[in-house]
């Protein structure tokens, strides 16, 4: 049954299917619900073939009844034409990478009897995928060796064990042991939603014939710094060298990530960025001609919101140049052109992700390629003269697109969700600017309810983003979907307050270490902007936020504000107890609380609990180690002790985010019931 469903789905995944069977009549359209949103297909970052003619993506679909995800690989001709489904196995496939000759695709999956993800190799012309690793600790982030005969991958191993059998035995012994204690002598002890064990990330090489993988970094004295995401390492075009990140902090409380190189054959590793002792060096990428190594560099300790510089290193002389000097944006997610003369990458640029071109010699300023008029463009891949990426917006999930490098024109390749989106009545989206704290311009997204009538008055739902150094761009969100909220009958806003990324580093850093006051002022001025609009009912306003957004909403809770109710998810409520967070074993950028009690008094929301009086919905996940569960419980208990109407929604199996389909739908349902009970939705006729 699954195979048949996927085959039918494939009809919507062709470059020509923007013209599907019959138009959807206006009266048939509906407002998108959370359940509808979970029916969308999710396209992952593309892998572009060496000749630039085809792109492979993983397409995920979720089954609300079983709460499970299916993810299969699809091949799209870049110039258009029918897409082809490459995999149909029930296991989810990811990490797709093309072989240098374009004949094979390697990917990771946990198939059949696999107890951990393994690497599989699939002929592009068709046939069955073949497993090439059987590593008990699992294989991830594969990259092909340039000769196409093997791959390099990463796995987390115990360095005191020399054989894979021993690794597997220890895993089994620990899984079956009745003793469950963990012991640490230095931080960090956790990452995001799980506690760390005593293994290290290391690189191995394997032949595609399935021979026993051989060690590359074990024995070098260093391990790979990696938590999640794409492969953190790269292989030189001659196949002789690998560049990878290493946390050189030996104590555990002051992380410093440098880039190291090592021979593919193994041996000693060399630190190539030892001079940068205050910030991380990351994302190494060799130029196709092998002469240069590009990477990101930050230099301010403890400030992840610092603009990432794009550095190009001459591999012969070791000389480096910052090719983004004077560019007041962060240059991440980059890819080399085939002639090694330029790089392209997506940039968080004043509320939109735009593609920029960088001159590899740094002789020209970064040049904007896409204008951002139709949403974010991210995950750029380059091969020859071909550029592809993903485009999305607040109103539409990501789709595969091609990008004209000269004109910036974007052409759709996939249309995975076109038919579904055609059946929804979406609200109009606008970008506005208002004067915030200190008279500075603040950008804000406004999403109007479907069938909005400006002659009537609507309630406002102000969303407060997290981070804080992560702007809200023109992107589709599954966790906090503004179109779903607008569909309930609210004018929804999302403002990029001081501290947000993409508006220059000074703006991003302007709230440190005073987290609360200026973003609070920005939020109040946004509320004033809304209240002054003739279509807003100033007596029907609410605010909602998560993570730092939950912090700021909790900060608002103890101060003057116009909101009838607040929704607070995974909030940093107590800056003292946030020392239990996964990253909090590291020294801070500024003074610790024992040296600056006044800062805590000014900025920690719990210090203003005596002013709490607004009905509040609190939501939190047990597995959240970024903002531990105690915050939600402390906030709820405080509200209860003060006699403030409140509700706690607790998810025992969710982390900082609500990721499981049924839990997510329940989350949206709880939020909807709460806000509608306290702020009536929909328009009312203006007073005569």
């Amino acid at each position: 049954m699954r195979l048949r469903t996927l085959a039918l789905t494939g009809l919507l995944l062709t470059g020509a299917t923007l013209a599907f069977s019959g138009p959807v009549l206006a009266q048939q359209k509906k407002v998108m619900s959370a359940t509808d949103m979970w029916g969308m297909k999710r396209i992952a970052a593309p892998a572009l073939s060496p000749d630039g003619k085809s792109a492979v993506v993983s397409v995920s679909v979720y089954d609300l009844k079983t709460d499970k995800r299916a993810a299969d690989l699809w091949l799209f001709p870049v110039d258009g034409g029918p897409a082809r489904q490459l995999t149909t196995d029930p296991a989810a496939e990811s990490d797709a990478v093309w072989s240098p000759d374009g004949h094979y695709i390697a990917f990771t999956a946990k198939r059949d009897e696999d107890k951990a993800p393994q690497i599989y190799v699939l002929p592009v012309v068709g046939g069955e995928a073949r497993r090439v690793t059987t590593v008990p600790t699992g294989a991830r982030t594969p990259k092909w060796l340039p000769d196409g005969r093997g791959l390099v991958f990463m796995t987390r191993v115990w360095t005191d064990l020399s054989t894979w059998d021993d690794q597997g035995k220890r895993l089994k012994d620990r899984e079956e042991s009745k003793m469950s204690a963990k012991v640490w002598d230095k931080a960090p002890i956790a990452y995001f939603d799980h506690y760390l064990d005593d293994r290290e990330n290391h690189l191995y090489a394997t032949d595609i014939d399935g021979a026993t993988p051989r060690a590359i970094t074990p024995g070098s004295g260093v391990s790979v710094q990696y938590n999640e995401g794409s492969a953190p390492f790269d292989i030189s075009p001659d196949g002789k060298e690998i560049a990878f990140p290493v946390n050189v902090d030996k104590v555990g409380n002051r992380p410093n990530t440098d880039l190291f190189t090592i021979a593919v054959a193994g041996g000693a590793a060399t630190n190539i960025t030892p001079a940068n002792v205050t910030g991380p060096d990351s994302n190494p990428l060799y130029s196709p001609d092998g002469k240069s190594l590009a990477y990101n560099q930050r230099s301010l300790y403890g400030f992840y919101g610092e603009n990432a510089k794009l550095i190009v290193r001459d591999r012969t002389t070791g000389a480096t140049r910052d090719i983004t000097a004077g560019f007041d944006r962060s240059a991440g997610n980059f890819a080399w052109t085939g002639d090694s003369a330029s790089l392209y990458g997506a940039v968080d640029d004043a509320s939109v992700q735009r593609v920029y071109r960088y001159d590899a010699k740094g002789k020209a300023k970064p040049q904007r390629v896409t204008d951002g008029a139709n949403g974010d463009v991210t995950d750029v891949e380059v091969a020859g003269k071909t550029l592809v990426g993903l485009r999305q917006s607040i109103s539409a999930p990501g789709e595969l697109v091609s990008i004209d490098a000269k004109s910036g024109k974007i052409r759709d390749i996939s249309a995975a969700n076109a038919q579904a989106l055609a059946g929804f009545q979406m609200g109009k989206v606008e970008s506005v600017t208002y004067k915030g704290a200190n008279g500075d311009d603040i950008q804000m997204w406004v999403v109007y309810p479907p069938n909005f009538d400006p002659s009537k008055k609507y309630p406002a739902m102000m969303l407060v983003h997290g981070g804080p150094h992560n702007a809200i761009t023109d992107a589709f969100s599954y966790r906090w979907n503004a179109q779903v909220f607008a569909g309930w009958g609210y004018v929804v806003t999302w403002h990029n307050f001081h501290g947000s990324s993409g508006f220059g580093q000074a703006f991003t850093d302007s709230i440190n270490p005073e987290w609360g006051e200026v973003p609070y002022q920005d939020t109040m001025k946004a509320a004033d902007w809304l209240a002054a609009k003739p279509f807003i009912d100033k007596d029907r306003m609410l605010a909602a936020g998560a993570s730092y957004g939950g912090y700021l909403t909790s900060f608002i809770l103890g101060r003057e504000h116009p909101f009838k109710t607040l929704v607070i998810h995974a909030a940093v409520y107590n800056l003292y107890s946030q020392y239990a967070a996964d990253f909090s074993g590291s020294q801070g950028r500024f003074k610790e609380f024992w040296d600056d009690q006044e800062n805590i008094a000014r900025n920690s929301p719990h210090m203003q609990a005596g002013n709490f009086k607004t009905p509040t919905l609190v939501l939190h996940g047990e597995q959240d180690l970024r903002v531990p569960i105690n915050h939600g419980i402390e906030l709820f208990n405080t509200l209860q002790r003060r006699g403030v109407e409140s509700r706690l929604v607790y998810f025992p199996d969710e982390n900082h985010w609500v990721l499981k389909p049924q839990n997510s739908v329940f989350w949206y349902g709880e939020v909807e019931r709460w806000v509608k009970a306290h702020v009536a939705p929909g328009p009312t006729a203006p007073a005569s």
Side-chain angles (χ1 to χ4, degrees):
M1 185 67 180
R2 165 115 188 273
L3 293 179
R4 182 180 179 187
T5 301
L6 286 169
L8 291 172
T9 301
L11 294 176
L12 303 181
L13 289 168
T14 69
T17 53
L18 289 176
F20 30 79
S21 55
V24 178
L25 300 179
Q27 63 265 30
Q28 293 177 313
K29 291 189 176 184
K30 56 176 288 191
V31 173
M32 185 177 69
S33 68
T35 300
D36 296 325
M37 179 193 71
W38 274 97
M40 298 287 190
K41 300 171 184 66
R42 307 190 190 190
I43 297 182
L48 189 58
S49 62
D51 62 8
K53 294 182 179 180
S54 302
V56 167
V57 296
S58 176
V59 181
S60 297
V61 293
Y62 286 83
D63 187 330
L64 269 170
K65 292 182 179 179
T66 63
D67 231 25
K68 292 183 178 180
R69 176 177 75 102
D72 290 295
L73 300 181
W74 287 78
L75 186 146
F76 289 86
V78 171
D79 290 336
R84 178 160 60 92
Q85 186 173 351
L86 298 177
T87 61
T88 59
D89 192 272
E93 291 95 12
S94 59
D95 298 327
V97 284
W98 290 80
S99 63
D101 61 8
H103 293 164
Y104 297 93
I105 294 170
F107 61 88
T108 59
K110 189 177 177 182
R111 291 184 165 188
D112 302 325
E113 302 303 316
D114 293 340
K115 293 185 178 180
Q118 303 298 335
I119 297 173
Y120 289 77
V121 171
L122 177 72
V124 175
V125 295
E128 292 297 321
R130 178 167 50 88
R131 183 192 293 112
V132 298
T133 62
T134 54
V135 180
T137 50
R140 52 184 174 170
T141 64
K143 283 201 171 188
W144 287 89
L145 289 164
D147 62 7
R149 296 178 180 178
L151 302 108
V152 174
F153 66 91
M154 188 170 58
T155 189
R156 193 169 172 85
V157 297
W158 287 281
T159 55
D160 63 320
L161 301 179
S162 59
T163 71
W164 294 113
D165 286 343
D166 288 340
Q167 298 283 341
K169 183 178 183 303
R170 183 171 291 179
L171 280 171
K172 186 173 184 293
D173 289 346
R174 290 197 177 184
E175 181 180 343
E176 295 177 350
S177 175
K178 302 302 181 183
M179 194 287 295
S180 59
K182 295 181 182 292
V183 179
W184 298 276
D185 294 309
K186 65 178 183 178
I189 68 170
Y191 179 75
F192 202 69
D193 59 3
H194 61 278
Y195 289 97
L196 302 177
D197 60 18
D198 49 342
R199 290 182 288 171
E200 296 178 351
N201 289 314
H202 280 284
L203 299 177
Y204 289 79
T206 185
D207 296 331
I208 60 172
D209 62 6
T212 301
R214 59 174 179 81
I216 298 176
T217 55
S220 67
V222 296
S223 60
V224 183
Q225 172 62 28
Y226 177 81
N227 289 315
E228 62 182 352
S230 59
F233 64 91
D234 197 32
I235 306 169
S236 63
D238 62 7
K240 295 180 179 180
E241 182 182 272
I242 297 176
F244 62 101
V246 175
N247 181 8
V248 298
D249 173 31
K250 300 299 183 185
V251 178
N253 64 3
R254 197 170 179 86
N256 176 27
T257 302
D258 286 342
L259 291 180
F260 280 63
T261 58
I262 191 171
V264 172
T270 302
N271 189 342
I272 62 171
T273 62
N276 183 23
V277 298
T278 52
D281 303 297
S282 59
N283 304 322
L285 191 65
Y286 289 94
S287 61
D289 63 11
K291 295 179 180 180
S292 303
L293 179 72
Y295 59 93
N296 283 140
Q297 184 176 84
R298 291 181 170 91
S299 55
L300 290 176
Y301 175 77
F303 181 35
Y304 79 88
E306 179 189 4
N307 286 341
K309 297 180 284 289
L310 184 49
I311 307 296
V312 174
R313 182 177 190 269
D314 186 304
R315 294 183 63 210
T316 300
T317 66
T320 60
R321 56 187 177 274
D322 176 5
I323 65 172
T324 51
F327 183 53
D328 200 10
R329 296 289 187 268
S330 194
N333 182 29
F334 53 87
W336 284 95
T337 56
D339 60 6
S340 300
S342 305
L343 303 97
Y344 289 88
V347 174
D348 181 354
D349 185 21
S351 79
V352 179
Q353 292 271 351
R354 298 180 173 92
V355 176
Y356 274 76
R357 179 192 302 111
Y358 308 101
D359 177 59
K361 296 185 181 300
K363 293 182 178 180
K365 294 181 179 179
Q367 298 295 312
R368 181 185 291 179
V369 177
T370 59
D371 60 14
N374 295 300
D376 284 7
V377 179
T378 60
D379 301 287
V380 178
E381 285 277 301
V382 183
K385 297 182 179 180
T386 303
L387 273 71
V388 299
L390 296 182
R391 178 172 62 179
Q392 60 181 314
S393 71
I394 288 172
S395 303
E399 295 283 2
L400 182 64
V401 296
S402 69
I403 306 156
D404 187 292
K406 292 183 178 180
S407 68
K409 184 178 180 180
I410 296 171
R411 177 177 52 82
D412 292 320
I413 299 175
S414 73
N417 294 295
Q419 188 168 8
L421 290 171
F424 298 133
Q425 181 68 44
M426 294 291 193
K428 178 184 176 183
V429 179
E430 285 185 343
S431 175
V432 302
T433 302
Y434 67 93
K435 294 295 182 181
N438 305 319
D440 294 337
D441 287 340
I442 302 296
Q443 185 275 339
M444 179 166 68
W445 294 104
V446 181
V447 183
Y448 297 92
N451 302 310
F452 173 74
D453 183 346
S455 70
K456 297 180 179 179
K457 285 188 174 290
Y458 290 80
M461 181 177 187
M462 291 187 60
L463 305 182
V464 186
H465 75 69
H469 307 307
N470 303 91
I472 289 299
T473 60
D474 196 359
F476 195 82
S477 173
Y478 289 93
R479 300 194 305 273
W480 286 65
N481 191 282
Q483 287 287 2
V484 170
F485 297 144
W488 297 344
Y490 299 90
V491 173
V492 178
T493 66
W494 231 336
H495 59 301
N496 279 311
F497 46 77
H498 281 85
S500 302
S501 57
F503 298 88
Q505 186 165 309
F507 186 88
T508 304
D509 204 17
S510 63
I511 67 169
N512 294 316
E514 299 291 334
W515 257 23
E517 184 60 32
V518 172
Y520 163 74
Q521 292 181 29
D522 289 337
T523 306
M524 294 304 100
K525 289 181 181 297
D528 292 342
W529 183 92
L530 281 166
K533 297 301 175 183
F535 52 80
I536 292 294
D537 183 345
K538 62 183 177 59
D539 294 321
R540 289 190 293 157
M541 300 178 72
L542 69 109
S547 193
Y548 172 87
Y551 160 84
L552 187 53
T553 311
S554 299
F555 190 92
I556 290 167
L557 178 62
R559 286 161 175 76
E560 291 298 319
H561 64 79
F563 305 119
K564 299 303 181 185
T565 190
L566 299 171
V567 176
I568 300 177
H569 178 97
V572 180
Y573 166 68
N574 183 338
L575 292 182
Y576 286 110
S577 53
Q578 181 62 2
Y579 272 66
D582 58 348
F583 60 86
S584 291
S586 300
Q587 294 175 351
R589 179 184 174 194
F590 302 101
K591 291 180 180 180
E592 303 290 357
F593 74 83
W594 52 84
D595 294 321
D596 192 358
Q597 293 282 339
E598 293 79 9
N599 181 279
I600 291 282
R602 288 191 302 271
N603 289 283
S604 187
H606 85 285
M607 297 296 288
Q608 299 298 322
N611 298 325
F612 291 177
K613 57 187 178 183
T614 307
T616 302
L617 175 64
V618 182
L619 309 101
H620 220 115
E622 175 68 39
Q623 296 178 16
D624 189 352
L625 299 180
R626 181 58 47 90
V627 181
I629 183 65
N630 60 279
H631 287 277
I633 296 174
E634 287 179 35
L635 173 56
F636 176 71
N637 284 347
T638 301
L639 290 163
Q640 290 285 301
R641 290 175 73 160
R642 284 195 48 77
V644 178
E645 182 187 2
S646 49
R647 175 179 294 169
L648 173 64
V649 180
Y650 165 80
F651 295 95
D653 55 349
E654 297 287 359
N655 55 31
H656 196 52
W657 305 324
V658 179
L659 299 176
K660 295 179 172 62
Q662 291 185 23
N663 281 346
S664 173
V665 171
F666 182 83
W667 183 95
Y668 276 98
E670 284 294 297
V671 173
E672 182 179 10
R673 282 187 288 273
W674 180 269
V675 300
K676 286 183 175 179
H678 293 85
V679 176
T684 57
S688 58

